[in-house]
Amino acid sequence: MQTIVFLMYTSTFALADLPDYRFPDDFVFGAASASYQIEGAWNEDGKGENIWDRSLHEHPDWVIDKSNGDIACDSYHKYKEDVQLLKNLGVNFYRFSISWSRILPTGKTDQINQAGIDYYNSLINELLANGIEPYATMFHWDLPQPLQDEGGWPERKTADYFIDYARVLFENFGDRVKRWITFNEIIQICEGGYSGGSFAPFIKNPGIGGYECTHTILLAHGKTYRLYDSDFRGKQQGQIGISIDSFWHEPDYLDRETDQQASEIDLEMNFGWFVNPCVKGNYPDVMIERVKKNSISEGYNRSRLPEFSPEEQEMMKGTYDFIGLNHYSSDKVYLAVDGAGDHPSHWVDTGVIRYQDSSWPDSACSWFKVVPWGINKLLVWIKNHYNNPPVFITENGFSDYGQHDDYVRANYYKDYLYEILKAIHEQNCNVIGYTAWSLMDNFEWMSGYTLRFGLHYVDFDDPERPRTRKLSSYVYNNILTTRHVDWDYYPDWPPTQDNTKQIN
Ligand code: BGC
């Protein structure tokens, strides 16, 4: 059934006569990965234990195929090969994440692991030697276990430990890393980790844990930005942003006022929740009001949503050089009947019902369907709400079950990138870069190795973890070198030459 759906999804635009928009000269293209998903070497050379190591060693059956990131793509040993993949792909930059526990095994600066510093220095230098800019994410979900043992992100002191860690990163790598992303997807870290319990450290505390965790992380982000301003920006001249994931939430009926309200509330409470404090210094008004109202009606004497003090609001305001956007899919929304669902929870506070239209093409993930126009609408919404800030697409990509001739992924990239071109040329959105998720197949969290997002295929049954190019990698290379979407371009397949090499 899945295969039939895949075969049916051809590019939405391929046959239309569309303007041939070009990416601006300074628009940059890259590919992304994350430490726990690719590095392996989980306990080598002094790396400490993180919350994913601990959780999945203790509960292997929580992941669909009972796998974990102990070896993953083995990039800790194969990073030079990965850099060649990037070079052949022709990208401007590589967005990788740094494993906090590899640098600071206890999470704190009492021990700095020189082997960890050496590893990222080698990766960064190898990238630069091959003409690829290193973009580093400081935190992509792998909190050192000792910090979790002290309460993890809901504890404010974790922000202080993060700032100490950030300083170590600026001091050691800031001479060469010119784009930093403090956090990847706060909602997944906090709602997943401390509210719903679907991601490490798998704590269930709905309606409270996610808000407390987010508050700490936002303060950590803001203070890290200020630390860079005061101690590093002058000499290092880099940029700092944060990556926030969001769907586009389409009103169920476009002309129904309550559905329009649902769309607005959902965007404010699941994207504005994180972006508003960085741009304007505080949570969105609608969120402050709704969480307070629900909290009081549940018997609390104050809101479950923590407050920023006036000084903190000042500190937070404007703590971004770009807004990182991770986007995969969209849904349709309408207002929930008041009071539906279990209290307390962020979903009840949001008060919106979401669903995905059954006519939209599937991916291999249960949570996403292919909706290219959604990225365009989301970019326009961001432009209108935040005064057209620089937006960096820090993740976008497609999941399947693993074929090399991944025409569907190739078409996904064409369609989504064309919608980005439209946002730039027709709606004047300030989009400055694009990142494909992912450079290669990797450990897809609770789905283990059953789903694949890579531009490169990784054979996880082979101890050498060989990587090979997929068809989509040639299509992505064609887009970024020609700087437009060529609807007719597909490489000869199977490739006639060594498919680890560049085609053009
Ligand atoms: C995360 C990645 C993940 C991808 C696909 C993003 O939410 O940042 O780590 O692999 O989505 O699920």
PDB file of all heavy atoms in Angstrom, residues 302-317:
ATOM      1  N   ARG A 302      -1.735  30.251  40.641  1.00  0.00           N
ATOM      2  CA  ARG A 302      -1.030  31.065  39.646  1.00  0.00           C
ATOM      3  C   ARG A 302      -0.881  30.233  38.381  1.00  0.00           C
ATOM      4  O   ARG A 302      -1.140  29.021  38.381  1.00  0.00           O
ATOM      5  CB  ARG A 302       0.332  31.537  40.157  1.00  0.00           C
ATOM      6  CG  ARG A 302       1.290  30.428  40.470  1.00  0.00           C
ATOM      7  CD  ARG A 302       2.661  30.947  40.890  1.00  0.00           C
ATOM      8  NE  ARG A 302       3.507  29.838  41.314  1.00  0.00           N
ATOM      9  CZ  ARG A 302       4.213  29.065  40.496  1.00  0.00           C
ATOM     10  NH1 ARG A 302       4.168  29.264  39.181  1.00  0.00           N
ATOM     11  NH2 ARG A 302       4.947  28.078  40.959  1.00  0.00           N
ATOM     12  N   SER A 303      -0.403  30.907  37.316  1.00  0.00           N
ATOM     13  CA  SER A 303      -0.288  30.206  36.040  1.00  0.00           C
ATOM     14  C   SER A 303       0.796  29.130  36.078  1.00  0.00           C
ATOM     15  O   SER A 303       1.836  29.321  36.717  1.00  0.00           O
ATOM     16  CB  SER A 303       0.050  31.220  34.942  1.00  0.00           C
ATOM     17  OG  SER A 303       0.196  30.554  33.717  1.00  0.00           O
ATOM     18  N   ARG A 304       0.539  28.052  35.381  1.00  0.00           N
ATOM     19  CA  ARG A 304       1.581  27.026  35.233  1.00  0.00           C
ATOM     20  C   ARG A 304       2.700  27.497  34.309  1.00  0.00           C
ATOM     21  O   ARG A 304       3.756  26.886  34.241  1.00  0.00           O
ATOM     22  CB  ARG A 304       0.966  25.732  34.666  1.00  0.00           C
ATOM     23  CG  ARG A 304       0.130  24.958  35.656  1.00  0.00           C
ATOM     24  CD  ARG A 304      -0.497  23.725  35.011  1.00  0.00           C
ATOM     25  NE  ARG A 304      -1.726  24.035  34.300  1.00  0.00           N
ATOM     26  CZ  ARG A 304      -1.849  24.163  32.982  1.00  0.00           C
ATOM     27  NH1 ARG A 304      -0.801  23.988  32.197  1.00  0.00           N
ATOM     28  NH2 ARG A 304      -3.005  24.452  32.435  1.00  0.00           N
ATOM     29  N   LEU A 305       2.443  28.574  33.548  1.00  0.00           N
ATOM     30  CA  LEU A 305       3.484  29.109  32.656  1.00  0.00           C
ATOM     31  C   LEU A 305       4.392  30.034  33.466  1.00  0.00           C
ATOM     32  O   LEU A 305       3.926  31.028  34.033  1.00  0.00           O
ATOM     33  CB  LEU A 305       2.822  29.895  31.517  1.00  0.00           C
ATOM     34  CG  LEU A 305       3.731  30.381  30.396  1.00  0.00           C
ATOM     35  CD1 LEU A 305       4.265  29.200  29.577  1.00  0.00           C
ATOM     36  CD2 LEU A 305       2.991  31.357  29.476  1.00  0.00           C
ATOM     37  N   PRO A 306       5.708  29.727  33.529  1.00  0.00           N
ATOM     38  CA  PRO A 306       6.598  30.606  34.303  1.00  0.00           C
ATOM     39  C   PRO A 306       6.656  32.011  33.696  1.00  0.00           C
ATOM     40  O   PRO A 306       6.325  32.197  32.529  1.00  0.00           O
ATOM     41  CB  PRO A 306       7.968  29.923  34.184  1.00  0.00           C
ATOM     42  CG  PRO A 306       7.695  28.548  33.704  1.00  0.00           C
ATOM     43  CD  PRO A 306       6.420  28.603  32.924  1.00  0.00           C
ATOM     44  N   GLU A 307       7.081  32.974  34.505  1.00  0.00           N
ATOM     45  CA  GLU A 307       7.140  34.363  34.025  1.00  0.00           C
ATOM     46  C   GLU A 307       8.576  34.822  33.865  1.00  0.00           C
ATOM     47  O   GLU A 307       9.437  34.473  34.673  1.00  0.00           O
ATOM     48  CB  GLU A 307       6.484  35.296  35.052  1.00  0.00           C
ATOM     49  CG  GLU A 307       4.983  35.252  35.022  1.00  0.00           C
ATOM     50  CD  GLU A 307       4.368  36.177  36.071  1.00  0.00           C
ATOM     51  OE1 GLU A 307       5.062  37.093  36.574  1.00  0.00           O
ATOM     52  OE2 GLU A 307       3.190  35.952  36.388  1.00  0.00           O
ATOM     53  N   PHE A 308       8.805  35.642  32.854  1.00  0.00           N
ATOM     54  CA  PHE A 308      10.088  36.342  32.737  1.00  0.00           C
ATOM     55  C   PHE A 308       9.978  37.628  33.545  1.00  0.00           C
ATOM     56  O   PHE A 308       8.985  38.360  33.413  1.00  0.00           O
ATOM     57  CB  PHE A 308      10.388  36.713  31.288  1.00  0.00           C
ATOM     58  CG  PHE A 308      10.675  35.533  30.386  1.00  0.00           C
ATOM     59  CD1 PHE A 308       9.764  35.136  29.416  1.00  0.00           C
ATOM     60  CD2 PHE A 308      11.868  34.820  30.506  1.00  0.00           C
ATOM     61  CE1 PHE A 308      10.033  34.056  28.579  1.00  0.00           C
ATOM     62  CE2 PHE A 308      12.144  33.740  29.674  1.00  0.00           C
ATOM     63  CZ  PHE A 308      11.227  33.351  28.708  1.00  0.00           C
ATOM     64  N   SER A 309      10.981  37.922  34.379  1.00  0.00           N
ATOM     65  CA  SER A 309      10.992  39.197  35.100  1.00  0.00           C
ATOM     66  C   SER A 309      11.218  40.315  34.072  1.00  0.00           C
ATOM     67  O   SER A 309      11.675  40.044  32.947  1.00  0.00           O
ATOM     68  CB  SER A 309      12.129  39.216  36.123  1.00  0.00           C
ATOM     69  OG  SER A 309      13.370  39.245  35.436  1.00  0.00           O
ATOM     70  N   PRO A 310      10.938  41.583  34.432  1.00  0.00           N
ATOM     71  CA  PRO A 310      11.196  42.685  33.493  1.00  0.00           C
ATOM     72  C   PRO A 310      12.649  42.697  33.006  1.00  0.00           C
ATOM     73  O   PRO A 310      12.919  42.922  31.831  1.00  0.00           O
ATOM     74  CB  PRO A 310      10.877  43.935  34.319  1.00  0.00           C
ATOM     75  CG  PRO A 310       9.897  43.469  35.346  1.00  0.00           C
ATOM     76  CD  PRO A 310      10.262  42.044  35.653  1.00  0.00           C
ATOM     77  N   GLU A 311      13.607  42.396  33.892  1.00  0.00           N
ATOM     78  CA  GLU A 311      15.019  42.378  33.479  1.00  0.00           C
ATOM     79  C   GLU A 311      15.263  41.231  32.491  1.00  0.00           C
ATOM     80  O   GLU A 311      16.010  41.381  31.514  1.00  0.00           O
ATOM     81  CB  GLU A 311      15.964  42.175  34.687  1.00  0.00           C
ATOM     82  CG  GLU A 311      15.937  43.272  35.741  1.00  0.00           C
ATOM     83  CD  GLU A 311      14.669  43.238  36.594  1.00  0.00           C
ATOM     84  OE1 GLU A 311      14.182  42.139  36.927  1.00  0.00           O
ATOM     85  OE2 GLU A 311      14.150  44.333  36.922  1.00  0.00           O
ATOM     86  N   GLU A 312      14.645  40.093  32.773  1.00  0.00           N
ATOM     87  CA  GLU A 312      14.829  38.949  31.860  1.00  0.00           C
ATOM     88  C   GLU A 312      14.208  39.253  30.489  1.00  0.00           C
ATOM     89  O   GLU A 312      14.757  38.872  29.453  1.00  0.00           O
ATOM     90  CB  GLU A 312      14.198  37.684  32.458  1.00  0.00           C
ATOM     91  CG  GLU A 312      15.033  37.104  33.593  1.00  0.00           C
ATOM     92  CD  GLU A 312      14.319  36.000  34.377  1.00  0.00           C
ATOM     93  OE1 GLU A 312      13.068  35.889  34.297  1.00  0.00           O
ATOM     94  OE2 GLU A 312      15.016  35.269  35.090  1.00  0.00           O
ATOM     95  N   GLN A 313      13.085  39.953  30.494  1.00  0.00           N
ATOM     96  CA  GLN A 313      12.455  40.298  29.206  1.00  0.00           C
ATOM     97  C   GLN A 313      13.398  41.178  28.389  1.00  0.00           C
ATOM     98  O   GLN A 313      13.558  40.988  27.189  1.00  0.00           O
ATOM     99  CB  GLN A 313      11.130  41.007  29.435  1.00  0.00           C
ATOM    100  CG  GLN A 313      10.069  40.082  30.009  1.00  0.00           C
ATOM    101  CD  GLN A 313       8.717  40.747  30.135  1.00  0.00           C
ATOM    102  OE1 GLN A 313       8.383  41.647  29.369  1.00  0.00           O
ATOM    103  NE2 GLN A 313       7.925  40.312  31.096  1.00  0.00           N
ATOM    104  N   GLU A 314      14.022  42.133  29.059  1.00  0.00           N
ATOM    105  CA  GLU A 314      14.989  43.009  28.378  1.00  0.00           C
ATOM    106  C   GLU A 314      16.152  42.196  27.829  1.00  0.00           C
ATOM    107  O   GLU A 314      16.612  42.392  26.705  1.00  0.00           O
ATOM    108  CB  GLU A 314      15.550  44.043  29.378  1.00  0.00           C
ATOM    109  CG  GLU A 314      15.050  45.466  29.266  1.00  0.00           C
ATOM    110  CD  GLU A 314      14.538  45.871  27.897  1.00  0.00           C
ATOM    111  OE1 GLU A 314      15.394  46.113  27.028  1.00  0.00           O
ATOM    112  OE2 GLU A 314      13.315  45.961  27.700  1.00  0.00           O
ATOM    113  N   MET A 315      16.626  41.273  28.683  1.00  0.00           N
ATOM    114  CA  MET A 315      17.767  40.436  28.288  1.00  0.00           C
ATOM    115  C   MET A 315      17.411  39.566  27.080  1.00  0.00           C
ATOM    116  O   MET A 315      18.189  39.416  26.142  1.00  0.00           O
ATOM    117  CB  MET A 315      18.165  39.556  29.496  1.00  0.00           C
ATOM    118  CG  MET A 315      19.363  38.666  29.304  1.00  0.00           C
ATOM    119  SD  MET A 315      18.995  37.123  28.446  1.00  0.00           S
ATOM    120  CE  MET A 315      18.037  36.230  29.674  1.00  0.00           C
ATOM    121  N   MET A 316      16.199  39.025  27.069  1.00  0.00           N
ATOM    122  CA  MET A 316      15.793  38.088  26.009  1.00  0.00           C
ATOM    123  C   MET A 316      15.542  38.776  24.670  1.00  0.00           C
ATOM    124  O   MET A 316      15.786  38.188  23.611  1.00  0.00           O
ATOM    125  CB  MET A 316      14.491  37.360  26.408  1.00  0.00           C
ATOM    126  CG  MET A 316      14.604  36.320  27.499  1.00  0.00           C
ATOM    127  SD  MET A 316      15.710  34.942  27.129  1.00  0.00           S
ATOM    128  CE  MET A 316      15.016  34.268  25.633  1.00  0.00           C
ATOM    129  N   LYS A 317      15.051  39.992  24.740  1.00  0.00           N
ATOM    130  CA  LYS A 317      14.587  40.683  23.523  1.00  0.00           C
ATOM    131  C   LYS A 317      15.704  40.809  22.475  1.00  0.00           C
ATOM    132  O   LYS A 317      16.766  41.346  22.756  1.00  0.00           O
ATOM    133  CB  LYS A 317      14.094  42.078  23.912  1.00  0.00           C
ATOM    134  CG  LYS A 317      13.114  42.679  22.938  1.00  0.00           C
ATOM    135  CD  LYS A 317      12.709  44.085  23.362  1.00  0.00           C
ATOM    136  CE  LYS A 317      11.812  44.103  24.590  1.00  0.00           C
ATOM    137  NZ  LYS A 317      11.552  45.467  25.069  1.00  0.00           N
TER     138      LYS A 317
END
